[in-house]
Amino acid sequence: MDAIIKKNAINFGIISGLIGILSTTIMYLVDLKLFVNMWIGFGMLAIWIIIGCVLLSKTKNEKQGILSFKEGFTAYFVSALIGILMSTVFNIFLFNFFDTAARDTVTEHLIEMQVEMLEKFNAPSDQIAETVSKLKENSQFSINGQLLGIAQALVGAIIFGLILAAFFKSKPKEQF
């Protein structure tokens, strides 16, 4: 891996991991209901996309305006992987060792939100009961839920990484 790509990927990965940890800490301290707020989720997604754009823009500039698709994707993916792992390790510690009651409270808020949404869409009561049962059995804040979250986040990172790498890729001027 190119030194510029490696340096930027690691630096931006640490930055995104710290942002994830900071946002989790703030939500934990302010109100546990914030963990199930979809607008905060969209806001965090926007932050990750902005970080990716800044990462690839900076990397492209440092490489004299030449960034291949592979280099762009590699930089984004390594950065995302570092950030996801840092955030997840923190969340596992917070919700499974430090404050398990918070995990249970957030899961209850998630169940309430899902039930309200299903009721708004006139879902049958048996479907609502099944959803509640699944959410209770498979808390997304348990260790297994967090590990599954890593896989889901990596799939999202791959998709965004492919899109951003395609957007930021360039060819040497000799190829034009």
Side-chain angles (χ1 to χ4, degrees), residues 77 80-81 83-85 88-89 92 140 142-160:
F77 184 76
L81 179 64
I84 290 165
L85 291 176
T88 303
V89 168
I92 288 172
Q140 69 183 30
S142 68
I143 293 175
N144 288 338
Q146 293 285 332
L147 295 176
L148 178 62
I150 289 174
Q152 293 168 336
L154 287 176
V155 168
I158 288 169
I159 292 167
F160 284 118

Side-chain angles (χ1 to χ4, degrees), residues 19-162:
I19 289 172
I21 291 169
L22 181 64
S23 64
T24 297
T25 303
I26 290 170
M27 289 187 293
Y28 174 78
L29 293 173
V30 172
D31 186 359
L32 294 176
K33 283 188 176 185
L34 295 174
F35 283 99
V36 297
N37 184 310
M38 79 172 175
W39 294 110
I40 290 178
F42 289 140
M44 292 305 296
L45 181 61
I47 289 171
W48 303 142
I49 292 171
I50 291 168
I51 288 172
C53 289
V54 172
L55 162 66
L56 294 182
S57 178
K58 181 178 189 324
T59 303
K60 186 175 181 177
N61 287 339
E62 290 179 9
K63 292 183 64 62
Q64 287 76 41
I66 301 170
L67 186 68
S68 72
F69 178 81
K70 179 182 176 185
E71 290 171 330
F73 178 76
T74 301
Y76 182 84
F77 184 76
V78 170
S79 172
L81 179 64
I82 292 169
I84 290 165
L85 291 176
M86 285 177 62
S87 296
T88 303
V89 168
F90 178 79
N91 288 346
I92 288 172
F93 174 75
L94 175 64
F95 290 113
N96 293 282
F97 299 105
F98 182 70
D99 191 354
T100 56
R103 175 193 64 210
D104 298 336
T105 301
V106 173
T107 301
E108 288 173 24
H109 292 315
L110 181 63
I111 290 169
E112 290 169 11
M113 182 189 76
Q114 288 290 321
V115 168
E116 287 175 17
M117 187 172 60
L118 290 170
E119 287 174 346
K120 284 181 185 176
F121 290 111
N122 297 319
S125 58
D126 58 329
Q127 181 184 4
I128 294 173
E130 181 182 334
T131 301
V132 168
S133 175
K134 286 181 183 178
L135 288 172
K136 284 182 179 178
E137 289 173 17
N138 305 310
S139 170
Q140 69 183 30
F141 295 97
S142 68
I143 293 175
N144 288 338
Q146 293 285 332
L147 295 176
L148 178 62
I150 289 174
Q152 293 168 336
L154 287 176
V155 168
I158 288 169
I159 292 167
F160 284 118
L162 292 170

